[in-house]
Amino acid sequence: MGEFKHSIDAKGRLIIPAKFRDQLDGHFIVTRGLDGCLFGYPMAEWQQMEEKLKTLPLTKRDARAFVRFLYSAATECDIDKQGRINIPDTLCAHADLTKKCVVVGVSNRIEIWSEDRWQQFTSTTANDFDEIAEDLNIEF
């Protein structure tokens, strides 16, 4: 859980918040995410997701496309001694990561957003939050 702002440097290095580092155990998988962000999964979570992806029907075009898109950019990231990871150019381009970033804890993964996209997403979602909860039948 949580939302943390950091900057990505010219070499594509981003600090992973200390709160997440222990849970990620020094390395994790980063890949293209939905809504224009990146998804980062601890190895155990990634392996569970791989098992689910294997059940998708190979005969379905959308399933093949989704799996290809997800796997083709997936990369194992090691956290260095300064708490940083190196994000490949392909992933930076997907998430429009240029300078200011937001790292968000979401259930079993982290998400890495450009600050601009994150602000857009949160302002849009804040306006619709009650309606979204009602549509999903969420009870608190």
Side-chain angles (χ1 to χ4, degrees):
M1 296 185 297
E3 173 184 324
F4 303 87
K5 294 182 180 181
H6 289 283
S7 293
I8 191 166
D9 68 16
K11 295 181 181 179
R13 295 178 299 195
L14 175 69
I15 293 174
I16 297 300
K19 180 177 182 177
F20 299 140
R21 286 185 217 150
D22 290 338
Q23 297 169 13
L24 296 170
D25 200 27
H27 62 277
F28 60 106
I29 302 294
V30 176
T31 191
R32 294 179 181 112
L34 303 173
D35 302 315
C37 73
L38 303 180
F39 287 170
Y41 291 96
M43 296 307 286
E45 292 291 336
W46 178 256
Q47 290 165 350
Q48 287 178 12
M49 188 168 59
E50 282 186 308
E51 292 304 315
K52 291 177 190 174
L53 293 173
K54 287 178 187 177
T55 67
L56 293 175
L58 186 60
T59 56
K60 297 284 188 182
R61 182 183 310 266
D62 286 347
R64 292 191 311 269
F66 181 81
V67 170
R68 282 184 193 126
F69 195 69
L70 191 72
Y71 275 101
S72 64
T75 187
E76 188 170 341
C77 290
D78 293 316
I79 300 172
D80 69 14
K81 291 177 184 177
Q82 287 79 32
R84 302 173 302 188
I85 60 167
N86 190 24
I87 301 175
D89 291 342
T90 303
L91 292 176
C92 285
H94 172 76
D96 195 27
L97 303 178
T98 55
K99 187 67 177 159
K100 295 180 180 181
C101 300
V102 181
V103 182
V104 182
V106 182
S107 185
N108 64 342
R109 67 180 182 274
I110 63 169
E111 295 182 352
I112 302 169
W113 291 78
S114 75
E115 187 176 57
D116 289 342
R117 282 190 183 172
W118 178 247
Q119 288 174 348
Q120 269 183 323
F121 171 79
T122 56
S123 67
T124 301
T125 304
N127 292 333
D128 300 333
F129 189 66
D130 293 341
E131 187 177 317
I132 292 168
E134 186 175 321
D135 289 346
L136 293 173
N137 251 349
I138 302 289
E139 293 187 32
F140 293 96

